[in-house]
Amino acid sequence: MSIIGVGIDVAEIDRFAASLKRTPALAERLFVERELLLPSGERRGVASLAARFAAKEALAKALGAPPGLLWTDAEVCVEDSGRPRLRVTGTVAARAAELGVQTWHVSLSHDAGVASAVVIAEA
């Protein structure tokens, strides 16, 4: 196995919250419904959404930040164990296949007003 790309991103949680408030349709442009909701059906908190947004930015960087990727073609899922993972489709899956990506590694965090994510794309 070899590393195709690594991406890292941070998002200020308050700034991200203000963007969501200012542009109500933004959440639906950035996330699929499963990302917006907790398993209970309640809306996910803004810190968690900011971390997911950072993961999507980090993923784009790991792929070389090509134009034309759709935010909703990358989904941050959570396994039963609590471990995050990426599900890619459409434009993101096509770029990943072009580069030979077979495995994704993702880590999310949020603390002290900042959400962060690291993504590793591996062949």
Side-chain angles (χ1 to χ4, degrees), residues 51-120:
R52 281 161 172 72
F53 177 68
K56 292 175 186 233
E57 287 276 2
L59 179 140
K61 291 172 183 177
L63 293 176
L69 297 181
L70 298 176
W71 295 112
T72 53
D73 285 349
E75 177 185 353
V76 178
C77 306
V78 180
E79 296 176 354
D80 290 340
S81 66
R83 179 182 178 182
R85 68 179 177 83
L86 293 169
R87 178 182 297 143
V88 299
T89 59
T91 59
V92 176
R95 177 63 176 167
E98 198 177 289
L99 295 174
V101 177
Q102 295 178 1
T103 305
W104 297 102
H105 304 277
V106 60
S107 181
L108 309 174
S109 185
H110 48 81
D111 188 30
V114 176
S116 60
V118 174
V119 171
I120 299 171

Side-chain angles (χ1 to χ4, degrees), residues 24-35:
L26 181 61
E28 285 73 27
R29 287 199 319 254
L30 296 176
F31 305 106
V32 299
E33 187 173 337
R34 289 183 301 267
E35 290 175 298

